Amino acid sequence: MTRKPSKTAVPSAIRAGAKGPVPARSDEVPASNRATRAAERRAAIVEAAMDEFIARGFAATRLDDIAKRAGVAKGTIYLHFKDKESMFEELVRTVIVPVVTRLTTLPPPTGTVRELVETFAGNFLKEVIGTRRGDLVRLIVAEGPRFPSVADFYYREVVSRGIAAMRALIELGIARGEIREKDLARYPQILVAPAMIAVIWQSLFARHAPLDAQEMLRVHLDLIFGERRTT
Amino acid sequence: MTRKPSKTAVPSAIRAGAKGPVPARSDEVPASNRATRAAERRAAIVEAAMDEFIARGFAATRLDDIAKRAGVAKGTIYLHFKDKESMFEELVRTVIVPVVTRLTTLPPPTGTVRELVETFAGNFLKEVIGTRRGDLVRLIVAEGPRFPSVADFYYREVVSRGIAAMRALIELGIARGEIREKDLARYPQILVAPAMIAVIWQSLFARHAPLDAQEMLRVHLDLIFGERRTT
DNA sequence: TGACTATGACTGACCAGTCAGTCATATATT
DNA sequence: AATATATGACTGACTGGTCAGTCATAGTCA
């Protein structure tokens, strides 16, 4: 059957002579070729989807809103993603991977263990705490139970690696005599716990009581490495 | 006594909070009087709603399912709650309050500060970590941003009180010389961070890697109070 | 009996996912 | 180079299903 144009009014799509075919997008970039345009669109969708999912959660997010925000028609989303669920899953992967890569790109192993940990904490502070990526972490905590594949992915790619890296640092610290508490190596979670709390705090309670995450992390490191003799 | 039907149910006769040990054995009952029956129904709805909300999140939870699980008709829910949102909000209050009350009922201030903190941690471990209440905390983290009133309530009734209580303990510990890190009093979050992480871990990653929360908390306290032989 | 409480069929809004049709761009032909 | 044809990215009206909230009716207790 033909897509009957509509019984009344002129078919919107046939505005003869209309020039701007896609006026929605804010930045009018005349993408060179198709492949590039497609990649840009996909990126725009991911971007928009992240904002919407963070703001409303998975179930309450409307694909219409994502499409609108991305400056794309709803159908276009389905050219890039199978459905809402797999869009969410791919989104998490797409956003998380680069962050992990960047954070695990350790600096040259020079200096004390404390300095290594401080560098890591500094990066985490800058890249995650209080940023949209931090909100994404909160989102994963929120939706994880309903998306086993996301939880699995997150555990495998982020948590287990992070724990292993922290454990290695702790063991190095113990070996060098910088850390006294030997059992800490059994629970690297303790090392990162305040950082995670900071992420959640910024999302939920920043408006009630601002938290100086940097200073809190410093105090925590003092607790683990012993008071610091300032720089 | 005139039961004010008003628009929203009055949270008065809600003694049957969680597991009512009082009601006679078995179930299905002698339903003495109307007020009692009403309270029981309300409790059943709250119970069912908590399970559903924890399992599916706010938006994805169907009132039909809550009604079915609670053994009542959907319309009955509306005799007790104005709508889905206020049901969620009241649910959080109803469930959280008793827990906070129980946890803040401190033991006699005898013994060391470490013992006080250990008692608190032990209660928290038993009452929250790995239980449905822990899942509720995760749920609040998840839905908080979309329910400012819930986040406000939680901050006011739980977080700020908990932080204040922890700060008092830390200051006492510092005064008595049990805690060396003086700056800790500025960030009581550090004291509870591992406990919160344990809550989240049990919800999300217990399947991948079981976590001995009790032992982790012990190590953390060793870190704060200094080594100490355990039982 | 009369007031109060419970029920569940029903309604209307809402939304994920579809697909016939369009048109800018790429490729083939002259 | 200019023109013709092919491709597939893109659109958005539409469908089918879902679900929060309602209310006429039935049931229960005092």
Side-chain angles (χ1 to χ4, degrees), chain B residues 3 34 41 72-76 79:
Chain B
R3 271 195 140 296
R34 283 187 168 178
R41 288 203 176 240
V72 301
K74 184 159 61 157
T76 304
L79 297 175

Side-chain angles (χ1 to χ4, degrees), chain A residues 44-213:
Chain A
I45 292 170
V46 167
E47 192 73 2
M50 180 157 70
D51 287 343
E52 292 290 329
F53 281 134
I54 285 172
R56 310 172 128 73
F58 178 79
T61 290
R62 288 176 291 257
L63 290 204
D64 283 301
D65 289 345
I66 292 176
K68 193 176 171 189
R69 185 187 281 259
V72 155
K74 185 155 62 152
T76 304
I77 291 174
Y78 288 88
L79 296 176
H80 294 274
F81 303 93
K82 180 170 153 287
D83 57 18
K84 197 183 177 187
E85 273 200 30
S86 56
M87 174 167 60
F88 179 71
E89 296 178 5
E90 280 195 53
L91 159 70
V92 172
R93 287 176 175 73
T94 303
V95 176
I96 290 290
V97 171
V99 180
V100 172
T101 302
R102 214 172 315 151
L103 285 179
T104 55
T105 299
L106 287 168
T110 55
T112 64
V113 173
R114 167 148 191 166
E115 279 165 3
L116 286 175
V117 175
E118 271 177 353
T119 300
F120 186 86
N123 287 336
F124 190 82
L125 191 73
K126 185 152 52 77
E127 302 272 356
V128 183
I129 296 176
T131 71
R132 239 172 16 155
R133 294 200 198 89
D135 289 327
L136 187 64
V137 171
R138 208 209 70 242
L139 187 61
I140 291 169
V141 168
E143 309 284 356
R146 257 161 298 148
F147 290 90
S149 69
V150 167
D152 289 354
F153 169 83
Y154 191 72
Y155 178 76
R156 192 165 12 89
E157 301 297 320
V158 182
V159 178
S160 68
R161 287 187 186 184
I163 292 294
M166 291 305 109
R167 175 171 288 130
L169 281 176
I170 292 168
E171 282 168 351
L172 186 60
I174 291 172
R176 289 195 188 168
E178 288 184 58
I179 296 175
R180 315 183 91 192
E181 182 62 50
K182 299 198 168 31
D183 283 338
L184 192 60
R186 288 163 55 213
Y187 297 100
Q189 287 93 340
I190 293 172
L191 182 57
V192 297
M196 294 303 303
I197 290 308
V199 167
I200 292 171
W201 190 283
Q202 300 296 1
S203 261
L204 292 180
F205 309 127
R207 62 182 63 251
H208 300 92
L211 177 68
D212 183 339

Side-chain angles (χ1 to χ4, degrees), chain B residues 11 26 38 62 132 149 172 191 197:
Chain B
S26 293
R62 290 175 290 257
R132 241 174 15 160
S149 68
L172 186 60
L191 182 57
I197 291 309

Side-chain angles (χ1 to χ4, degrees), chain B:
Chain B
M1 48 163 63
T2 20
R3 271 195 140 296
K4 281 189 57 162
S6 58
K7 17 189 82 171
T8 307
V10 181
S12 50
I14 313 176
R15 249 337 40 157
K19 304 218 166 198
V22 182
R25 66 217 56 148
S26 293
D27 30 34
E28 265 347 308
V29 200
S32 45
N33 61 58
R34 283 187 168 178
T36 302
R37 267 181 68 93
E40 280 170 2
R41 288 203 176 240
R42 201 196 137 96
I45 292 169
V46 166
E47 191 72 4
M50 179 157 70
D51 287 343
E52 293 291 328
F53 281 134
I54 285 172
R56 312 172 124 76
F58 178 79
T61 290
R62 290 175 290 257
L63 290 205
D64 283 300
D65 289 346
I66 293 176
K68 194 175 169 189
R69 186 186 280 258
V72 301
K74 184 159 61 157
T76 304
I77 291 175
Y78 287 87
L79 297 175
H80 294 273
F81 302 94
K82 179 169 151 289
D83 56 19
K84 196 183 176 187
E85 273 199 31
S86 56
M87 175 165 62
F88 179 72
E89 296 178 5
E90 282 194 50
L91 158 70
V92 171
R93 289 176 173 74
T94 303
V95 176
I96 290 289
V97 171
V99 180
V100 172
T101 302
R102 215 171 315 150
L103 284 178
T104 54
T105 299
L106 286 170
T110 55
T112 64
V113 172
R114 166 146 191 168
E115 279 165 3
L116 286 174
V117 175
E118 271 178 353
T119 300
F120 186 85
N123 287 337
F124 190 81
L125 191 74
K126 186 152 52 80
E127 301 273 356
V128 182
I129 296 176
T131 72
R132 241 174 15 160
R133 293 200 198 89
D135 288 326
L136 186 64
V137 170
R138 209 211 66 242
L139 187 61
I140 291 168
V141 168
E143 309 285 356
R146 257 160 299 147
F147 291 91
S149 68
V150 167
D152 288 356
F153 169 83
Y154 191 73
Y155 178 76
R156 190 162 17 87
E157 301 296 321
V158 183
V159 178
S160 68
R161 287 186 185 185
I163 293 292
M166 292 303 109
R167 174 171 287 130
L169 281 176
I170 292 168
E171 281 168 350
L172 186 60
I174 291 172
R176 289 196 188 166
E178 288 184 58
I179 296 175
R180 314 184 94 193
E181 181 62 51
K182 300 201 167 30
D183 283 339
L184 192 60
R186 288 164 55 214
Y187 298 100
Q189 288 93 339
I190 292 172
L191 182 57
V192 297
M196 294 304 302
I197 291 309
V199 167
I200 292 171
W201 190 284
Q202 300 297 1
S203 261
L204 291 181
F205 310 127
R207 294 206 328 279
H208 302 89
L211 178 68
D212 183 339
Q214 181 163 18
E215 185 62 5
M216 181 172 81
L217 294 186
R218 202 218 84 222
V219 173
H220 185 234
L221 292 190
D222 278 351
L223 197 59
I224 291 173
F225 289 94
E227 289 276 357
R228 178 216 194 177
R229 268 299 52 91
T230 3
T231 54

